[in-house]
């Protein structure tokens, strides 16, 4: 796969020898690849191999050239079709990410890493979610503003206005309804408005002749043609004035309506969806944003949302791994609490959670906080993200780089900030992205978690920073910090000095510049030998690989490392005086951390499996179980250990074991005072099931009762 590098009119001090050595490829440096040296690109395209172009500035131009020089027109998204197959032309930004930085000469290891990651194959495709929109737009708001917005999109969208007061034009150009909104729900192509037509004026019949407005002595009717029932004194002059049209009827019973729309433009001050991430197809423009660039962007966006649209099914859910509920008890609900789109809910009857893929915005926060891996990010998969991180770190080290830091940022606003910072550095207004900071774009700032972060450290990253730009839901930022606190506690307990993780909040390029310059003091120690293991799709498996590598080479190895509450690792403590070994906790444990022993009355525990979901605590009838968040270091964490045991209880008649001594004693103690368990009945509780039946039928008292 040929790689084409360009120093952009000699504005970057690129060293093709260092870059080529790291990539195992001979590179030629170009200065005007998009202009006078475009022939080199054409030659690479004609070679029949996939091409990596180290320039995103002229992406469009290169795609046009590829269409011209290729055997067939270029496919969307930077793909070129040859002989019936599609091969990608990959683009990577080395200019704003380091080539224009103040220490650009020292950035060759980072630039080599970025070039190497661009050569990786694309993520495997996943199932998609399809939206179908016919362009039925609901505009909610004051009549005048609603009609103004409708005029800008009415040529391509089928507009209906839900009037919320205000004066409108006299010409009826769009259907107008009004009343009380009870519920607005749904998503692109499938919105439902539940409302009540509870006003005396029927807007469908109203001709806007304004006779009612002129006739009303209390001025209770406005140019939105709705009656203010608080101001109305029941003169009914308006009814007389509207006799010909018959649009006003105070005796009309309110009528409930449920209407379907594909799109919603909400002009009210308070949005119809209070969640941080509203559904796709819903646009909220409060009064202060109804003019200017934001309004223009919103209207342009709505105009484009007609047709059929696909998006990846971002999240995969494995119910068998889920620790949400067992035995009608709720355990972990981290994914439900963190989801800003309210796309995840509890399905209590099925003892699981439900993911509404139509509402999911792909942030991946659910996978980040999930302790078991039941929620996993599907596009790209953890294996793909891990492969990228390993390639970046390995290539960086191969090119001679030291102490790299990863900067994880979103593909939209985060990428824009990095680009803006690079341009500022070019003119000397900023330092730019440091030579030892490797930017990595992810779909959303919240879609990486403790498994990838610890893996990155195990593979040589001295720091992992996640960039937030203010667009993220507050609970996302809180979740990132909580997960980082757990990861840092693990590394600190193992003796890896320094700070390995941080969330940096930046809204402007200058903010980002300042934070990145401070990253030099936020580096942590890493293993002497970098890990070479591959990320597994299973979260717990990846964590075990990372922990094994970090523990093996740890400066210190305490028996246990205390962790913050909510950590996905820990132990279970059992109050032996309360525990009756009923094994309710065993049946509730979703991770097989709590186990029984078929050969003896024992409660056993495998600490490696425990996800600290709390289902055992909620299930235990004796309240004898509690959680202890920690990470055990020794090999015993992977072996079963006995938490509690007791003697078996034998039937007083045949001697057969049918329970535990503590369990039977507890039962006898609780039922001893009950009227139905006195004398022989109490003694039968000490028998096995078979002997109880025999004793009932052979007892003289029971036989006499049977004869009667």
């Amino acid at each position: 796969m040929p790689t084409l590098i360009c120093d952009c009119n000699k504005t970057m001090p690129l060293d093709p020898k260092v870059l080529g050595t790291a990539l195992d490829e001979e590179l030629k440096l170009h200065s005007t690849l998009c202009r006078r040296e475009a022939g080199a690109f054409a030659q690479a395209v004609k070679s029949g191999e996939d091409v990596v172009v180290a320039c995103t500035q002229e992406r469009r131009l290169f795609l046009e050239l590829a269409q011209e020089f290729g055997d067939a027109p270029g496919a969307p998204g930077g793909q070129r079709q040859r002989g019936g197959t599609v091969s990608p032309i990959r683009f990577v930004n080395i200019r704003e990410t380091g080539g224009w930085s103040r220490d650009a000469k020292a950035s060759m290891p980072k630039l080599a890493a970025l070039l190497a990651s661009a050569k990786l194959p694309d993520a495997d495709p996943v199932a998609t979610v399809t939206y179908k929109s016919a362009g039925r737009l609901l505009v909610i708001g004051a009549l005048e503003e609603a009609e103004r917005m409708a005029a800008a999109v009415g040529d391509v969208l089928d507009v209906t206005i839900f009037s919320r007061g205000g004066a409108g034009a006299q010409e009826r150009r769009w259907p107008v309804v009004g009343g009380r909104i009870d519920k607005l729900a749904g998503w692109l192509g499938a919105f439902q408005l539940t409302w009540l037509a509870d006003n005396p004026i029927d807007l469908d019949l109203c001709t806007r002749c304004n006779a009612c407005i002129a006739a009303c002595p209390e001025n209770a009717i406005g140019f939105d043609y709705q009656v203010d029932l608080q101001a109305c004194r029941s003169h009914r002059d308006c009814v007389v004035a509207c006799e010909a049209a018959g649009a006003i009827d105070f005796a009309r019973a309110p009528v409930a309506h449920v209407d379907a729309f594909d799109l919603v433009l909400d002009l009210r001050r308070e949005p119809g969806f209070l969640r941080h991430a509203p559904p796709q197809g819903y646009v909220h423009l409060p009064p202060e944003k109804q003019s200017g660039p934001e309004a223009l962007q919103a209207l342009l966006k709505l105009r484009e949302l007609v047709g059929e649209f696909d998006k990846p099914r971002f999240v995969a859910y494995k119910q068998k791994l889920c620790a949400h509920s067992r035995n009608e008890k709720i355990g972990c609900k981290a994914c439900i609490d963190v989801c800003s789109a309210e796309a995840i809910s509890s399905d209590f009857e099925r003892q699981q959670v439900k993911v509404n893929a139509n509402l999911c915005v792909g942030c991946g926060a659910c996978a980040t906080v999930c302790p078991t891996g039941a929620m996993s990010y599907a596009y790209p998969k953890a294996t793909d993200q891990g492969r990228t991180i390993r390639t970046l770190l390995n290539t960086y080290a191969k090119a001679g780089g030291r102490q790299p830091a990863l900067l994880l940022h979103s593909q939209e606003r985060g990428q824009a900030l990095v680009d803006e910072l690079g341009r500022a550095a070019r003119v000397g207004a900023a330092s730019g992205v440091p030579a030892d900071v490797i930017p990595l774009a992810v779909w959303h700032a919240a879609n990486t978690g403790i498994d990838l972060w610890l893996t990155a450290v195990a593979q040589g990253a001295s720091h992992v920073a996640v960039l937030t730009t203010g667009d993220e839901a507050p609970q996302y930022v809180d979740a990132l910090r909580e997960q980082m606190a757990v990861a840092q506690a693990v590394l600190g307990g193992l003796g890896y000095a320094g700070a390995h993780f941080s969330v940096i909040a930046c809204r402007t390029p200058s903010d980002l510049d300042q934070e990145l310059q401070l990253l030099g003091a936020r580096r942590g120690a890493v293993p002497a030998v970098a890990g070479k293991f591959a990320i597994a799709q299973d979260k717990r498996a990846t964590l075990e690989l990372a922990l094994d590598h970090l523990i093996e080479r740890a400066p210190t190895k305490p028996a246990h490392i205390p962790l913050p509450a909510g950590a996905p690792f820990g132990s279970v403590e059992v109050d032996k005086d309360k525990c009756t070994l009923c094994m309710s906790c065993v049946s509730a444990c979703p991770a097989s951390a709590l186990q029984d022993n078929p050969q003896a009355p024992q409660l056993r525990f495998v600490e490696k499996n425990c996800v600290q979901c709390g289902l055992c605590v909620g299930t235990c009838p004796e309240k004898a179980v509690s959680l202890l968040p920690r990470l055990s270091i020794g090999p015993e964490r992977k072996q079963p250990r006995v938490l509690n045991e007791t003697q078996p209880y034998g039937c007083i008649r045949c001697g057969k074991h049918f329970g535990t001594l503590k369990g039977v004693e507890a039962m006898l103690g609780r039922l001893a005072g009950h009227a139905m368990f006195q004398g022989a009945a109490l003694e039968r509780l000490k028998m096995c099931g078979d002997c109880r039946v025999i004793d009932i039928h052979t007892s003289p008292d029971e036989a006499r009762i049977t004869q009667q």
Side-chain angles (χ1 to χ4, degrees), residues 217-526:
E218 290 93 11
N219 296 320
I221 303 176
F223 283 101
D224 61 342
Y225 307 107
Q226 295 288 276
V227 179
D228 181 351
L229 297 175
Q230 299 296 321
C232 177
R233 294 294 177 265
S234 302
H235 292 288
R236 302 298 186 258
D237 293 349
C238 58
V239 176
V240 176
C242 191
E243 183 177 3
I248 306 178
D249 183 358
F250 283 86
R252 182 189 300 114
V255 180
H257 295 266
V258 179
D259 295 327
F261 298 95
D262 299 307
L263 305 163
V264 178
L265 174 59
D266 194 342
L267 305 178
R268 297 172 292 178
R269 182 168 296 281
E270 295 298 324
F273 294 95
L274 297 179
R275 65 194 71 159
H276 184 273
Q280 290 177 301
Y282 172 85
V283 176
H284 179 232
L285 274 181
E288 62 272 15
K289 296 182 179 181
Q290 289 172 11
S291 60
E294 289 191 63
L296 177 61
Q297 290 177 8
L299 294 173
L300 291 174
K301 177 181 178 181
L302 288 170
R303 291 176 64 92
E304 295 173 353
L305 292 178
V306 180
E308 189 169 308
F309 306 92
D310 290 332
K311 73 174 183 182
R313 191 176 291 270
F314 289 103
V315 173
Y317 173 62
K318 294 182 180 179
Q319 192 274 334
K320 66 179 181 179
L321 299 179
C322 185
H324 174 59
S325 62
R326 291 286 192 283
N327 301 336
E328 298 186 351
K329 299 290 184 181
I330 296 295
C332 174
K333 55 187 186 71
C335 59
I336 297 175
D337 292 340
V338 81
C339 182
S340 71
E342 297 181 10
I344 307 176
S345 58
S346 175
D347 188 345
F348 193 69
E349 292 184 0
R350 297 186 179 182
Q351 306 284 284
Q352 63 183 46
V353 299
K354 294 187 299 184
V355 180
N356 187 327
N358 291 290
L359 292 177
C360 174
V361 296
C363 66
C366 55
T368 297
V369 301
C370 179
T372 66
M375 288 286 187
S376 61
Y377 204 67
Y379 188 76
K381 297 178 180 178
T383 51
D384 296 319
Q385 291 179 318
R387 180 179 56 193
T388 300
I389 290 174
R390 186 174 61 170
T391 299
L392 288 170
L393 296 175
N394 286 349
T395 308
Y396 179 87
K398 183 179 179 180
R402 296 291 182 269
Q403 287 194 307
L406 284 178
L407 175 65
L408 306 178
H409 60 80
S410 65
Q411 292 181 346
E412 295 184 356
R413 182 56 187 149
Q415 184 66 61
L417 269 184
V418 172
D419 291 346
E420 290 172 31
L421 175 59
R423 290 193 292 272
R426 174 68 186 94
V427 296
S431 296
V433 182
D436 55 2
V437 176
I438 306 174
L440 175 58
V442 293
W443 179 264
H444 191 282
N447 74 10
T448 61
I450 188 172
D451 51 337
L452 288 175
W453 302 336
L454 286 176
T455 295
V457 174
Q459 294 180 346
S462 63
H463 194 86
V464 178
V466 177
L467 171 63
T468 63
T469 61
D471 298 328
E472 301 80 9
Q475 64 264 37
Y476 289 173
V477 180
D478 292 341
L480 288 172
R481 291 198 170 106
E482 289 168 4
Q483 294 286 306
M484 285 184 173
V486 173
Q488 190 63 64
V490 170
L491 294 175
L494 292 173
Y496 292 102
H500 296 80
F501 310 103
S502 63
V503 176
I504 57 176
C506 306
R507 292 180 179 271
T508 65
S510 60
D511 292 341
L512 180 58
D513 194 41
Q514 182 176 359
E515 288 287 346
L516 292 183
Q517 302 313 310
L518 294 175
L519 280 187
R522 297 176 185 167
R523 304 300 172 90
V526 299

Side-chain angles (χ1 to χ4, degrees), residues 329 573-575 578-580 582 616-626 670:
K329 299 290 184 181
E573 293 187 326
V574 173
D575 187 333
K578 293 181 180 180
C579 177
T580 63
C582 68
C616 54
V617 177
T619 300
C620 179
E622 313 298 341
K623 306 301 180 187
V625 183
S626 59
R670 291 176 180 175

